[in-house]
Amino acid sequence: MLLLNTTRDALLAPLQSVAGIVEKRHTLPILSNVLIEKHGDQLTLLATDIEIQIRTTTGGHIGGEDTAITVGARKLQDILRALPDTDINLTLDDKRLTVKAGKSRFQLQTLPAADYPRMNLPDGDAVRLTVPQRTFKRQLAQVSYSMAQQDIRYYLNGLLLIADGSELRMVATDGHRLAYAASDLAVPAPEGQRTEAILPRKTVLELARQLADSDDPLEIILAGNQAVFRFGPIELVTKLIDGKFPDYERVIPQNHPKLVTFERLPLLASLQRAAILTNEKFRGVRLVLGEGALKVISSNSEQEEAQDELEIDYHGDTLDIGFNVTYLLDVLNNLSSETVEWRFNDGNSSALITLPGNEQFKYVVMPMRI
């Protein structure tokens, strides 16, 4: 039975949009598959891992009968990538999908579409927001690196999303550093309503990968324990993390007396140089703040040492403070501004990194003993 005739890229592009969430190993074999549904010239592809579901629809596919099958997502993707950009032909015969392109021919096992698990879309009361994809993608970049990985405090393995009036906020922390970013909503959330949702780490990374750097709209629906993101032809449904996120406002320091403005790229380069000789496990660097200069010092267990110095506009008391250099490199690599402001108190207090004249970004990093 003919399923469809199309070009390689016309099938590969939507497949790549959904296949990213497919895990290599599953207790349910069907979760390694992608669901392919054909109705007329419309082709719908859907993948899920039970926690996240991504669906995309594409048109213009020629011929074939209306049907629905599931087939190995990674295998089909690898086959299409290996083929030249040419016409391909998909046929279904006795539970086997045949992919033909030129003189190449592949046969893949299928599983029944009726057995494929689907997540239901949330119903009832929901908060609906619309933001430009570029704005949301930039916000994710400013905070997502601070998410924890496999922390027993499961709510830290995600990102807090807050819709409050005319502002959309994101917060992520792993307990050692915290990133906060906000943006303005063109259409405010319902008056007097503050909505919080903790997005899973996998959802955050998938959105960061898929969102376009454009002003095309991203529709967000928050309802119950689910969130829906719609952009272009893609619909992503995700379960939310159920937990109480830390009170981030208490963590952000107020009134630190020492303020230093750095050129971002020279500071980034200096820290990268010092990082070469840090201890592989602890990654610590010392920042020695003195009259007109910042020294960046690192050493390791082999008695090797690196020292770098930057000229800065600082005329306060001397300060010697240690940090995990990875936490500093992360924030500097994910900002685009030319300058950053650092506020310090003493060698035992967290530092606050902000952008000049911008209250919508804050980064707090705890010191470490070196």
Side-chain angles (χ1 to χ4, degrees):
M1 179 179 73
L2 176 65
L3 186 61
L4 64 96
N5 289 315
T6 188
T7 62
R8 184 201 72 153
D9 285 355
L11 183 58
L12 180 58
L15 179 60
Q16 288 177 324
S17 296
V18 302
I21 65 165
V22 176
E23 301 285 356
K24 290 183 178 179
R25 291 181 178 85
H26 264 300
T27 51
L28 290 174
I30 201 166
L31 291 179
S32 297
N33 286 12
V34 59
L35 173 65
I36 302 175
E37 294 180 304
K38 185 173 182 300
H39 298 285
D41 68 346
Q42 293 285 315
L43 196 69
T44 300
L45 285 80
L46 184 147
T48 183
D49 68 355
I50 301 299
E51 302 293 322
I52 309 172
Q53 173 179 292
I54 301 182
R55 185 184 69 178
T56 185
T57 301
T58 173
H61 297 279
I62 303 170
E65 299 180 31
D66 290 358
T67 188
I69 61 165
T70 81
V71 66
R74 295 287 170 88
K75 290 177 183 176
L76 181 58
Q77 182 175 258
D78 289 345
I79 288 169
L80 293 175
R81 282 176 173 168
L83 291 171
D85 186 12
T86 182
D87 289 344
I88 61 170
N89 179 287
L90 270 64
T91 56
L92 186 63
D93 185 34
D94 193 26
K95 298 182 181 179
R96 291 167 75 87
L97 179 70
T98 302
V99 181
K100 294 180 183 176
K103 296 184 178 180
S104 301
R105 182 171 174 269
F106 305 86
Q107 285 193 325
L108 297 170
Q109 289 286 359
T110 66
L111 290 171
D115 296 342
Y116 200 77
R118 301 184 190 220
M119 294 174 65
N120 294 322
L121 293 177
D123 52 13
D125 293 338
V127 174
R128 297 175 181 269
L129 309 167
T130 301
V131 296
Q133 290 188 45
R134 175 186 288 121
T135 301
F136 200 86
K137 187 181 181 78
R138 185 179 68 240
Q139 246 181 294
L140 287 177
Q142 289 179 333
V143 301
S144 60
Y145 52 84
S146 291
M147 292 185 295
Q149 296 188 51
Q150 298 180 327
D151 197 297
I152 57 171
R153 298 164 294 180
Y154 56 92
Y155 47 83
L156 297 186
N157 302 319
L159 181 147
L160 177 65
L161 186 69
I162 304 169
D164 190 2
S166 61
E167 198 167 54
L168 184 68
R169 304 178 196 136
M170 296 182 190
V171 187
T173 180
D174 61 7
H176 303 287
R177 34 86 178 268
L178 178 145
Y180 164 96
S183 65
D184 297 324
L185 289 169
V187 179
E191 188 173 347
Q193 187 172 353
R194 174 184 167 115
T195 303
E196 297 188 5
I198 306 177
L199 303 178
R201 177 184 181 85
K202 188 173 179 179
T203 300
V204 171
L205 298 179
E206 193 63 24
L207 286 170
R209 182 178 78 88
Q210 298 236 28
L211 288 172
D213 190 17
S214 72
D215 290 326
D216 292 342
L218 164 66
E219 181 187 6
I220 305 169
I221 303 170
L222 304 173
N225 68 340
Q226 285 185 315
V228 181
F229 298 86
R230 294 187 178 126
F231 50 100
I234 296 172
E235 176 187 80
L236 186 153
V237 184
T238 178
K239 291 182 180 178
L240 300 173
I241 295 176
D242 182 20
K244 179 63 176 174
F245 204 82
D247 183 357
Y248 67 91
E249 292 177 330
R250 290 180 55 192
V251 176
I252 298 173
Q254 305 291 331
N255 305 318
H256 273 7
K258 299 178 176 66
L259 171 62
V260 187
T261 300
F262 292 101
E263 296 292 323
R264 183 180 66 89
L265 291 178
L267 177 60
L268 175 61
S270 179
L271 290 168
Q272 287 171 332
R273 290 190 288 268
I276 296 169
L277 295 186
T278 55
N279 183 300
E280 287 186 12
K281 185 176 181 181
F282 299 108
R283 300 281 287 164
V285 295
R286 284 172 54 211
L287 304 186
V288 182
L289 199 60
E291 185 72 21
L294 172 74
K295 291 181 181 178
V296 183
I297 303 167
S298 66
S299 59
N300 57 33
S301 56
E302 297 172 357
Q303 310 302 314
E304 297 169 329
E305 184 175 298
Q307 180 170 314
D308 207 77
E309 187 169 319
L310 291 174
E311 291 185 7
I312 58 171
D313 183 16
Y314 178 74
H315 306 288
D317 297 335
T318 299
L319 175 67
D320 190 333
I321 188 169
F323 293 106
N324 182 321
V325 72
T326 301
Y327 297 163
L328 305 182
L329 294 174
D330 280 347
V331 63
L332 295 174
N333 273 316
N334 284 284
L335 294 176
S336 57
S337 62
E338 293 184 1
T339 58
V340 293
E341 292 181 342
W342 281 31
R343 288 175 170 82
F344 301 95
N345 184 21
D346 55 40
N348 299 314
S349 301
S350 58
L352 174 64
I353 299 175
T354 58
L355 302 177
N358 185 346
E359 286 293 313
Q360 292 190 321
F361 174 79
K362 295 179 174 71
Y363 183 76
V364 182
V365 57
M366 298 291 291
M368 66 183 292
R369 294 187 182 277
I370 298 177

